[in-house]
């Protein structure tokens, strides 16, 4: 089962940049929940904690694609070395400001600076894989599956560390570990120049417009926002639910169980080369995720929640893998980092929206108010995927019900076509 992973990791420099990228991605899983834990503990408000976390993620979502465009043009090291330095200053300021119980405006500003400069190391790693493997779809599928598994491993370790450190040491301890990971992993990754994708040739014309001019990319961005909202609301709601159950320290463990299910499915998914087209596999993943998270609202104790999250987690990694694979099909090779960053930061926007809205509802109605946000976000992701399925499918050959396709140019018709294809896939 592991042979495909051995093959890709045996390429020169691959293991080193993948390992460094994993360490540099610790902030991805630790900063959001770290802010929630730190601010809620110091200032006593989940609503404020969610808003500060939202500012961080929105700043990252707005600025990371612009950093990615600069990376595609000037190279990873030249752009990201100073960016990591700026993000370091911002995160240190955020930690110190919270420890001093500074005015909330300082929290917002430092969170914004951190998010604006932190970039997306997951996109940088995947861009290196694309160059290292020469664009071969089969090996890239394996490499992307590996990176999604690494993402989930980060999400297994990160929330547990952040929660245990914040509740057992001091509220800011989780963010300190994220800071170390960003600095050490980031600069280690950027020091590896032999595997770095080449910058655009001197004098090459600058790309005009955005990769979002592609309709398929817009669909992916919208769906990833909704998926991010699921994850963001789940994080905050699980912390609140664990506190209501009298064991706040278990929140990170529960979230790690969620990520473990995804980690396992991602590793298994990458060992097989699938015949069905990416757009159909992506739609199936969204359907499975939407169905699974609906059960979060019904749980009554932490053990049941962990079991439901573990099973539901199996839908996450394959869906993210397929989404990143679709990006590779939709954007030019010289703008791959920008395209990958857009879906990554769209996920981040959703995390910020979900955590912020869930935080407000949790302050009013408890954890079930937060899980209601999870369900609404899942419904939106499902509807958006089915309604825009024809756009995602593009020119790919797919079996559809002819009568439905011929008579259904609308979004409703697109949803009907998608439902037919999904039903066919499930039956087979």
């Amino acid at each position: 089962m592991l042979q495909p992973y051995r093959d890709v990791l045996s390429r020169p420099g691959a293991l080193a940049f993948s390992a460094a990228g994993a360490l540099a991605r610790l902030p991805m899983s630790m900063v959001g929940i770290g802010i929630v834990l730190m601010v809620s503990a110091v200032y006593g408000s989940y609503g404020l904690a969610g808003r500060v976390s939202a500012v961080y993620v929105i700043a990252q979502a707005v600025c990371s694609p612009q950093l990615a465009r600069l990376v595609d043009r000037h190279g990873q090291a030249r752009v990201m070395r100073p960016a990591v330095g700026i993000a370091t200053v911002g995160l240190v300021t955020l930690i110190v400001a919270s420890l001093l119980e500074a005015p909330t405006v300082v929290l917002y500003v430092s969170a914004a600076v951190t998010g604006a400069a932190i970039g997306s190391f997951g996109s940088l790693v995947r861009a290196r894989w694309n160059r290292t493997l020469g664009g071969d779809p089969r090996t890239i599928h394996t490499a992307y599956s590996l990176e999604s598994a690494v993402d989930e491993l980060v999400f297994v370790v990160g929330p547990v560390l952040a929660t245990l450190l914040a509740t057992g040491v001091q509220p800011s301890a989780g963010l300190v570990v994220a800071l170390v990971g960003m600095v050490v992993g980031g600069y280690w990754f950027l020091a590896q120049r032999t595997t770095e994708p080449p910058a655009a040739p001197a004098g090459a014309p600058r790309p005009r417009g955005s990769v979002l001019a592609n309709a398929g990319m817009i669909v992916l961005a919208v769906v990833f926002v909704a998926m991010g909202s699921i994850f963001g609301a789940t994080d905050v709601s699980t912390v609140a639910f664990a506190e209501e159950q009298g064991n706040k320290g278990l929140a990170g463990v529960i979230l790690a169980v969620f990520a473990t299910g995804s980690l396992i499915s991602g590793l298994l998914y990458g060992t097989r080369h699938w015949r069905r087209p990416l757009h159909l596999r992506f739609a199936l993943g969204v359907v499975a995720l939407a169905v699974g998270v609906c059960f979060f609202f019904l749980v009554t104790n932490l053990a049941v929640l962990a079991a439901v999250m573990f099973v539901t987690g199996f839908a996450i990694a394959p869906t993210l893998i397929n989404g990143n694979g679709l990006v590779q099909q939709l954007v030019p090779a010289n703008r791959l980092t920008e395209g990958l960053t857009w879906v990554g930061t769209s996920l981040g926007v959703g995390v910020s929206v979900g955590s912020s809205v869930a935080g407000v509802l949790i302050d009013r109605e408890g954890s079930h108010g937060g899980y209601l946000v999870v369900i609404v976000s899942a419904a939106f992701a499902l509807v958006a995927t089915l309604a825009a399925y024809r756009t995602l499918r593009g020119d790919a050959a797919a079996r559809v019900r002819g009568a439905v396709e011929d008579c259904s140019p609308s979004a409703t018709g697109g949803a009907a076509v998608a439902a037919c294809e999904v039903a066919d896939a499930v039956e087979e």
Side-chain angles (χ1 to χ4, degrees):
M1 185 188 75
L2 296 178
Q3 187 58 44
Y5 296 109
R6 294 193 189 100
D7 290 342
V8 296
L9 288 172
S10 66
R11 306 296 177 95
L15 179 59
F17 76 69
S18 183
L23 185 58
R25 276 177 278 181
L26 272 180
M28 179 176 67
S29 66
M30 297 187 69
V31 171
I33 191 172
I35 289 174
V36 170
L37 291 165
M38 180 179 70
V39 175
S40 63
V42 175
Y43 291 84
S45 171
Y46 280 108
L48 175 61
R51 289 192 296 273
V52 174
S53 180
V55 167
Y56 159 77
V57 179
I58 289 175
Q60 183 184 18
V62 170
C63 296
S64 287
Q66 314 313 317
L67 284 173
R69 181 178 293 190
L70 292 173
V71 164
D72 282 332
R73 183 166 181 81
H74 301 291
Q76 294 181 351
R78 184 177 177 185
V79 174
M80 292 306 300
R81 279 175 175 166
V84 171
I86 295 171
T88 300
V89 172
L91 190 53
V92 169
T93 303
L94 177 61
I95 294 170
V96 173
S98 179
L99 292 175
L100 298 177
E101 296 188 47
T104 57
V105 66
V106 180
L107 303 181
Y108 291 133
V109 171
S110 55
V113 170
T114 305
I118 202 168
S120 173
F121 273 92
S123 301
L124 301 182
V125 174
R126 287 174 172 85
R128 291 202 182 204
W129 275 120
N130 202 63
R131 176 178 185 264
T132 301
L133 300 174
D136 175 51
R138 292 175 66 86
T139 53
I140 286 177
H141 166 73
T142 300
Y144 279 16
S145 298
L146 172 65
E147 292 307 322
S148 289
V150 170
D151 286 341
E152 298 309 326
L153 179 61
V154 169
F155 274 102
V156 169
V157 174
V160 173
L161 273 178
T163 305
L164 291 177
L165 291 172
T167 57
V169 181
Q170 66 164 312
S172 64
L175 289 180
V176 172
V177 173
L179 174 65
V180 172
M182 177 178 66
V183 173
V184 175
Y187 284 116
W188 177 25
F189 178 86
L190 296 170
Q192 300 176 44
R193 305 301 296 272
T194 58
T195 55
E196 181 179 350
R206 294 186 179 184
R208 295 185 178 181
S210 169
V211 295
L212 292 183
N214 184 299
M217 283 297 300
I218 295 176
V219 173
L220 284 178
V222 170
V223 175
F224 269 63
V225 167
M227 290 175 62
S229 182
I230 293 172
F231 303 148
T234 297
D235 284 352
V236 181
S237 302
T238 301
V239 172
F241 184 72
E243 186 173 18
E244 291 170 359
Q245 295 289 309
N247 204 335
K248 186 177 180 179
L250 278 180
V253 176
I254 301 297
L255 293 174
V257 168
F258 193 27
T260 299
S262 182
L263 168 64
I264 294 171
S265 69
L267 286 173
L268 294 175
Y269 189 75
T271 62
R272 178 178 174 182
H273 298 287
W274 303 83
R275 294 182 179 180
R276 290 197 172 276
L278 272 173
H279 61 272
L280 178 56
R281 285 182 272 144
F282 180 73
L284 285 168
V286 173
V287 171
L289 181 61
V291 171
V293 298
C294 289
F295 290 97
F296 293 177
F297 190 79
L298 304 177
V299 301
T300 56
N301 61 66
L302 292 174
V304 174
L305 179 62
V308 172
M309 281 190 164
F310 179 73
V311 175
T312 303
F314 275 72
I316 298 174
T319 307
L320 298 179
I321 292 165
N322 293 330
N324 284 310
L326 284 170
V327 173
Q328 188 185 10
Q329 293 183 357
L330 292 170
V331 305
N334 64 347
R335 304 188 72 177
L336 181 61
T337 306
E338 182 183 351
L340 292 169
T341 300
W342 267 114
V343 295
T345 54
S346 295
L347 199 70
V349 168
V351 170
S352 71
V353 172
S355 62
S356 181
V357 175
V360 172
L361 291 182
I362 288 168
D363 283 342
R364 296 177 182 175
E365 303 176 18
S367 62
H368 275 64
Y371 284 126
L372 181 61
V373 177
V374 176
I375 294 174
V376 172
S377 301
F380 183 83
L382 179 59
V383 170
T385 300
L386 297 181
Y389 185 78
R390 292 166 65 95
T391 301
L392 271 182
R393 184 181 58 184
D395 296 329
R399 289 187 306 109
V400 294
R401 304 287 172 83
V404 174
E405 183 179 22
D406 291 341
C407 301
S408 306
S410 64
T412 304
V417 172
C420 290
E421 291 196 6
V422 168
D424 285 347
V426 171
E427 288 172 6
E428 294 182 5

